Amino acid sequence: MIKKYIFGKPMNTGAVSQKLSAEEGSLPVFGTDISENKINLTCPLSERDIVYGLGEANRGINKRGWHYEAKNSDDPVHTENKTALYGAHNFVAVSGCEHFGIFIDTPAYIHFDIGYSDPDVMSIDIHSPDAVIYFIAADDISTVVREFRQLIGKSYIPPLWAFGYQQSRWGYQSAEDIRNVVENHRSAGIPLDAVYMDIDYMDGYRDFTVDNVKFPEFDKFVSEMKENNIHLVPIIDAGVKIDENYDVYREGVENGYFCKRADGSNFVAGVWPGRTHFPDFFMPEARKWFGEKYRRLTDLGIDGFWNDMNEPAIFYSEEGLKEAMEHVDRLKGENLGIDSFFELTGTVAGISNNVKDYDHFYHTVDGEKIPHSKLHNLYGMNMTKAAAEAFERFDPTKRMLMLSRSSYIGMHRYSGIWTGDNCSWWSHLLLNIKQMPSLNMCGFLYTGADVGGFGNDTTPDLLMRWLEFAVFTPLMRNHSAAGTRDQEVYRFRNSAAFANIIRLRYRLIPYLYSEFVKSVLNDDMYFRPLAFDFPDDSIAVGVEDQLMVGNSVMIAPVYEQNARGRIVYLPEEMLRVKYLPDGSYETRVMPKGHSYVSAELDEVVFFIRKGHFIPLADSANSTAELNMKKLTLLGYLDYKANYLMYSDDGESKDYYDQNNYITLTVIKDNRDISVRSSDPDVELAADIK
Ligand code: MIG
């Protein structure tokens, strides 16, 4: 049951794809307090209530006990004290005696106090009088989330190759660099499907240009890579360099496509290329214009992009720079004591990503000038929409890989996200585990973190454990920041063990891809907290470091340094699969309850639910070489089970074509196992307990 309530005069953000008529009267469950410029919602929390949601946020799966902000931020240090990351995902759901959720559809700043000030109260402060609020209630939390997902529409599905292993680094400097990376993977038997191109491929950080000294004959290079089954994925930044000799800049100025100051001049923001203008992605013509520019790269064979710095990130504005310089001038010659000294450093540090700048520029929405501060959280989504709308025009039948850093609910229909600049910390591996189900609740299914960690130096054991988790994340991309230790897996002594883990990923793709696409089409979560599947099990309900992956698998990743295993909670009897460094695996039935499960650094452990089996392919060096028609069915059952496998050409969009569905059947009759496939071309083997 979903009810819609309108407060003030909200704009259409594009978050919701279902049309509902608005209710009269007041919001159920929540106390509502409307003052001139704000809406405050409060709701009591009872002792057992768990609060889910908020998508890309810090801390636990249960958000209770902390506070969060809807304020898309470029903050590369995700420590526990942080309250805002890159996305605004304003959906929270309470699960306890009752199950309900609330979605606050507004670009405005929101403060979610979830039992932070008062442990028994959730208090939500919306800094705007205008919002559409959806209230969803159901008998269980899964239904609440599913109804929400139906409201916001089907999630983005990337091409199959985007389920392969992907390598990135800021920054590969040349075609030669990238060739080496690919060659080193191929020669060590490490599967690879994509290499990302960070800002250094561009000519002076100008979007849609390629430096032709570092990348001579780029089109030939793209084809050369394609022949090797490698997709190149270039980055696109939000800011357009101010440069009279750059056509994108000139066209933007001539057509009035950039964000304006109050006096009508183009707003200037300092980012990578120095001074830039921000395209006004709220104008449909500007979206169309910017989107067309991707064609320069798609015409060369590029079929994937990542949109970065689209919160938007602002190193400085001219306004902010001037104010800070004046401040510094005032302090010149002063005897700087405790206050004035910190004022000085604070003033200079505060130039970047200063919210004051959000009032220094305007967007045009339906002919009306609106300050950025009122729309901030929608900017990244609209940049990505520009790209997605363009891809629809270029070829409506073809899937593209698209990732965005900044997001708002609604963008999940156009693109995936990566979770931004994490660090090479064990705590961020755990954060990655916890963020995944929350993101899924908010529609973001194609997602993953920078595996191995972006900032700081990784260690081979952290990278290995991280990969063992990332084997299950739809986006499996190793990425790291400039200046940090090299992090491609072949850099390390035990590269065979790394290769083996990544080869397991490819073995699992028939299962992972099926579960992913089915989750999208059924508005389900691909990653779920155990509480969603075992709501009556009071221990399972509290587990934060194990996840269900699709309908048949549970994972319990190791996320502590030097650990040689961990305690796992099994809510029911399951089959433990231990994947060994020689590529073989052992299976064992494990009882319900807590168990210590050993997992050496190079071993991957996962669990298959009783009465289920999963399809495994033979490994391959790329998804293009993966044979989905030769499968081993691995599982544990008493008598009979079916598996609905989804398998298509990996690039077109006919998701509902019945030929994409293959029913696999296993029948166990005492010791006799028989297997069947609805597609006679599938060659089957079985490994059934
Ligand atoms: O301020 O393009 O999140 O993945 O490598 C850093 C350089 C800008 C931030 C992205 C990161 C990327 C980096 N970018």
Side-chain angles (χ1 to χ4, degrees):
M1 182 277 300
I2 308 186
K3 289 186 167 174
K4 172 179 174 179
Y5 298 84
I6 296 179
F7 293 78
K9 291 200 184 70
M11 74 179 290
N12 179 9
T13 62
V16 160
S17 60
Q18 219 178 63
K19 284 219 167 22
L20 295 179
S21 44
E23 306 284 328
E24 300 293 327
S26 52
L27 205 63
V29 181
F30 288 84
T32 310
D33 181 10
I34 304 177
S35 59
E36 211 183 317
N37 292 312
K38 277 188 192 170
I39 307 167
N40 174 266
L41 308 175
T42 53
C43 131
L45 295 174
S46 59
E47 204 186 321
R48 290 288 166 86
D49 282 343
I50 294 178
V51 184
Y52 292 107
L54 294 182
E56 184 184 45
N58 218 339
R59 300 231 174 184
I61 295 174
N62 185 350
K63 306 313 281 188
R64 202 167 166 172
W66 188 240
H67 62 138
Y68 306 86
E69 296 169 293
K71 183 179 99 184
N72 292 5
S73 305
D74 167 27
D75 181 338
V77 189
H78 311 163
T79 42
E80 252 185 67
N81 55 318
K82 298 299 167 70
T83 45
L85 298 174
Y86 309 87
H89 304 155
N90 307 333
F91 172 66
V92 286
V94 177
S95 178
C97 298
E98 288 171 272
H99 307 273
F100 58 90
I102 190 166
F103 173 49
I104 303 159
D105 188 10
T106 170
Y109 170 89
I110 306 174
H111 184 239
F112 295 89
D113 181 329
I114 307 185
Y116 169 70
S117 300
D118 177 340
D120 303 323
V121 176
M122 171 157 72
S123 171
I124 304 173
D125 254 319
I126 305 163
H127 287 216
S128 164
D130 310 315
V132 184
I133 300 184
Y134 296 87
F135 179 83
I136 307 162
D139 290 338
D140 55 63
I141 185 67
S142 304
T143 312
V144 170
V145 173
R146 186 174 304 108
E147 287 193 8
F148 173 60
R149 293 273 306 280
Q150 286 163 352
L151 176 72
I152 59 175
K154 299 269 176 277
S155 302
Y156 159 81
I157 300 178
L160 175 67
W161 63 263
F163 285 80
Y165 181 58
Q166 312 187 43
Q167 179 62 50
S168 185
R169 175 161 187 96
W170 175 24
Y172 298 132
Q173 291 297 330
S174 63
E176 222 26 61
D177 267 8
I178 292 178
R179 267 191 201 103
N180 283 331
V181 169
V182 171
E183 183 44 42
N184 281 314
H185 282 84
R186 291 282 180 252
S187 62
I190 305 159
L192 186 67
D193 266 81
V195 179
Y196 282 60
M197 301 171 69
D198 209 320
I199 45 175
D200 304 287
Y201 80 87
M202 294 185 230
D203 174 12
Y205 307 125
R206 289 171 190 84
D207 279 336
F208 312 110
T209 66
V210 178
D211 183 317
N212 57 25
V213 176
K214 298 163 166 182
F215 291 90
E217 300 185 282
F218 186 60
D219 52 339
K220 294 212 178 98
F221 182 56
V222 177
S223 318
E224 174 195 324
M225 288 292 124
K226 276 272 163 68
E227 274 155 34
N228 211 343
N229 296 318
I230 298 290
H231 298 257
L232 295 174
V233 183
I235 198 169
I236 303 293
D237 279 7
V240 170
K241 183 179 167 82
I242 298 180
D243 171 4
E244 283 300 337
N245 299 316
Y246 174 36
D247 56 351
V248 179
Y249 163 78
R250 281 198 315 267
E251 289 170 22
V253 171
E254 277 158 26
N255 295 296
Y257 290 152
F258 293 127
C259 296
K260 304 268 184 304
R261 297 191 178 101
D263 67 3
S265 62
N266 292 319
F267 175 71
V268 175
V271 207
W272 292 117
R275 291 183 153 80
T276 71
H277 291 322
F278 289 140
D280 185 357
F281 296 114
F282 291 88
M283 297 166 70
E285 320 83 88
R287 279 208 301 278
K288 183 159 187 216
W289 161 73
F290 194 83
E292 274 310 302
K293 301 295 173 224
Y294 287 80
R295 204 192 283 273
R296 294 185 178 175
L297 292 159
T298 59
D299 276 352
L300 305 176
I302 294 293
D303 48 12
F305 294 93
W306 44 320
N307 281 350
D308 191 21
M309 306 294 272
N310 53 356
E311 292 71 30
I314 303 178
F315 294 169
Y316 61 86
S317 68
E318 292 190 328
E319 291 83 348
L321 213 53
K322 183 164 169 268
E323 206 181 288
M325 298 292 190
E326 283 168 5
H327 195 139
V328 171
D329 274 346
R330 277 204 304 279
L331 294 172
K332 251 188 204 154
E334 294 279 316
N335 174 11
L336 297 181
I338 176 159
D339 293 335
S340 46
F341 173 71
F342 288 109
E343 216 180 294
L344 172 69
T345 54
T347 303
V348 175
I351 299 175
S352 291
N353 297 318
N354 190 335
V355 292
K356 269 166 78 189
D357 279 328
Y358 303 166
D359 280 317
H360 290 143
F361 63 106
Y362 292 77
H363 299 284
T364 305
V365 183
D366 299 328
E368 205 189 325
K369 292 272 176 237
I370 302 189
H372 179 77
S373 56
K374 292 219 158 120
L375 301 173
H376 175 69
N377 290 340
L378 297 178
Y379 188 78
M381 155 150 135
N382 279 286
M383 175 185 183
T384 298
K385 207 169 147 188
E389 287 169 343
F391 303 154
E392 255 329 279
R393 291 193 301 272
F394 299 171
D395 184 352
T397 66
K398 191 184 168 196
R399 281 180 249 168
M400 298 282 286
L401 170 61
M402 185 70 236
L403 293 171
S404 174
R405 192 171 71 176
S406 177
S407 61
Y408 181 83
I409 289 174
M411 200 198 76
H412 69 287
R413 298 193 301 273
Y414 304 107
S415 160
I417 58 178
W418 83 99
T419 57
D421 300 346
N422 61 5
C423 287
S424 296
W425 299 339
W426 291 88
S427 60
H428 278 180
L429 164 53
L430 182 58
L431 180 64
N432 184 189
I433 297 167
K434 294 184 183 196
Q435 282 181 328
M436 293 293 105
S438 307
L439 280 162
N440 281 197
M441 289 172 206
C442 297
F444 294 96
L445 264 56
Y446 187 71
T447 180
D450 289 354
V451 176
F454 176 76
N456 304 119
D457 291 336
T458 200
T459 56
D461 56 345
L462 174 60
L463 178 59
M464 192 170 282
R465 288 302 194 193
W466 209 319
L467 284 163
E468 289 169 9
F469 168 60
V471 155
F472 299 94
T473 62
L475 168 66
M476 185 191 193
R477 182 182 77 145
N478 179 335
H479 181 48
S480 54
T484 62
R485 178 182 190 176
D486 288 332
Q487 175 171 309
E488 296 82 9
V489 299
Y490 58 78
R491 305 276 184 181
F492 303 103
R493 200 172 31 171
N494 41 354
S495 70
F498 282 107
N500 185 52
I501 293 162
I502 299 167
R503 297 186 83 76
L504 171 62
R505 160 68 166 221
Y506 284 72
R507 295 208 68 185
L508 286 166
I509 285 178
Y511 175 73
L512 302 178
Y513 185 65
S514 291
E515 295 302 305
F516 178 91
V517 176
K518 287 188 292 178
S519 299
V520 171
L521 301 181
N522 300 327
D523 301 299
D524 277 332
M525 291 160 66
Y526 166 93
F527 278 123
R528 294 177 308 284
L530 270 49
F532 280 58
D533 293 52
F534 303 96
D536 301 323
D537 178 330
S538 61
I539 299 176
V541 161
V543 172
E544 291 243 344
D545 61 354
Q546 301 176 204
L547 296 173
M548 306 304 296
V549 184
N551 282 327
S552 307
V553 168
M554 181 183 83
I555 56 171
V558 176
Y559 53 85
E560 283 177 336
Q561 189 155 30
N562 301 314
R564 301 182 60 188
R566 54 164 285 177
I567 306 267
V568 177
Y569 179 68
L570 282 88
E572 61 183 13
E573 192 180 72
M574 289 183 182
L575 185 72
R576 187 218 58 191
V577 181
K578 185 186 275 186
Y579 190 77
L580 303 168
D582 67 358
S584 66
Y585 55 78
E586 288 171 352
T587 59
R588 198 170 102 200
V589 174
M590 291 193 56
K592 173 181 159 81
H594 281 103
S595 305
Y596 180 80
V597 176
S598 73
E600 295 297 338
L601 182 58
D602 49 11
E603 296 174 346
V604 188
V605 171
F606 62 95
F607 302 84
I608 301 178
R609 292 189 67 173
K610 186 170 184 185
H612 292 242
F613 64 85
I614 64 169
L616 289 176
D618 292 341
S619 199
N621 284 326
S622 66
T623 52
E625 296 154 86
L626 200 62
N627 182 358
M628 298 267 216
K629 302 244 163 180
K630 181 170 179 289
L631 302 170
T632 300
L633 309 183
L634 172 64
Y636 171 39
L637 40 115
D638 281 336
Y639 167 59
K640 181 180 171 185
N642 286 323
Y643 182 75
L644 187 63
M645 180 164 129
Y646 179 88
S647 160
D648 58 14
D649 64 6
E651 55 182 33
S652 63
K653 296 180 179 172
D654 301 325
Y655 307 117
Y656 294 96
D657 182 344
Q658 279 315 304
N659 295 322
N660 296 345
Y661 294 87
I662 303 170
T663 304
L664 304 171
T665 306
V666 175
I667 297 173
K668 184 170 156 189
D669 189 2
N670 288 324
R671 292 260 175 93
D672 284 345
I673 306 281
S674 58
V675 289
R676 233 183 9 235
S677 161
S678 61
D679 174 351
D681 293 340
V682 178
E683 189 188 320
L684 294 175
D687 185 349
I688 300 292
K689 272 263 153 80

